[in-house]
Amino acid sequence: MRDLLKEAGIPHINQSAYRRKVSCADAIFATQEAIARYVRGGSRVHMCLYNFQKAFDLVEYPVLFKRLFEVGINGKTWRVLKSWYEGAVGQVRLDGTLSEAFEVNRGVKQGSVLSPTLFLLIMNPLLQELEASGLGLALHMQMTSELWLAVKSPMLGW
């Protein structure tokens, strides 16, 4: 599965979450350096930030299954993942009382080692579309001497 995702460009080069040797601090550093470069060049910088805090809970299963199929995850692996998610039920315990069971029809499973990868699978098209639009700021990150730096980007004309 990892090879298929890599072939599909997942995770996107601008995705810093859930990638080995890339941290939030790296993304902040790269953003800060890119902004500083624009400001030094006399440009105004406008930022739009999106809070993905609850995003794991919002992944819709039909979208997830479609994306898995689009990147080449099909057959038995696709059917296993689909059966793992479809028909899931949940209950809530409050003050020792358990609620009635209800159908869970969205959200990647919390605590699963596979969940971050499935989330990236859903988010990748957004980053690809933004990059293809030519709008915004691309922070292509490249490993150099164990230090992540913002490097020359075709989107920025550097």
Side-chain angles (χ1 to χ4, degrees):
M1 187 164 140
R2 181 170 285 165
D3 291 338
L4 288 171
L5 294 174
K6 190 174 181 178
E7 282 179 34
I10 299 169
H12 191 276
I13 192 167
N14 288 334
Q15 172 63 48
S16 57
Y18 310 113
R19 287 179 52 200
R20 285 194 179 127
K21 298 183 180 180
V22 182
S23 70
C24 181
D26 298 317
I28 291 168
F29 172 77
T31 302
Q32 183 179 10
E33 290 298 307
I35 289 170
R37 185 176 201 139
Y38 270 101
V39 170
R40 282 192 305 268
S43 296
R44 291 178 58 178
V45 176
H46 303 273
M47 290 184 69
C48 175
L49 303 174
Y50 191 87
N51 182 353
F52 287 105
Q53 183 177 2
K54 303 286 184 192
F56 265 43
D57 298 333
L58 301 176
V59 173
E60 295 183 1
Y61 295 162
V63 175
L64 174 62
F65 303 143
K66 181 179 182 234
R67 284 291 297 141
L68 285 165
F69 198 79
E70 287 172 353
V71 298
I73 298 169
N74 49 45
K76 187 175 183 179
T77 304
W78 186 84
R79 287 191 305 273
V80 165
L81 288 170
K82 190 171 184 203
S83 70
W84 190 38
Y85 276 92
E86 278 193 338
V89 294
Q91 291 181 288
V92 177
R93 182 180 308 272
L94 180 63
D95 294 329
T97 304
L98 201 58
S99 74
E100 290 187 31
F102 56 89
E103 182 182 356
V104 177
N105 55 16
R106 65 174 53 175
V108 292
K109 296 186 181 287
Q110 303 295 314
S112 166
V113 296
L114 192 55
S115 292
T117 302
L118 296 175
F119 180 71
L120 292 179
L121 180 73
I122 297 297
M123 295 310 304
N124 219 61
L126 174 65
L127 292 169
Q128 290 170 333
E129 195 171 313
L130 181 61
E131 184 176 39
S133 75
L135 300 172
L137 167 66
L139 301 175
H140 290 244
M141 298 167 85
Q142 173 181 310
M143 179 61 94
T144 307
S145 303
E146 297 300 314
L147 178 65
W148 285 93
L149 299 171
V151 295
K152 184 173 182 176
S153 167
M155 282 181 67
L156 299 176
W158 295 354

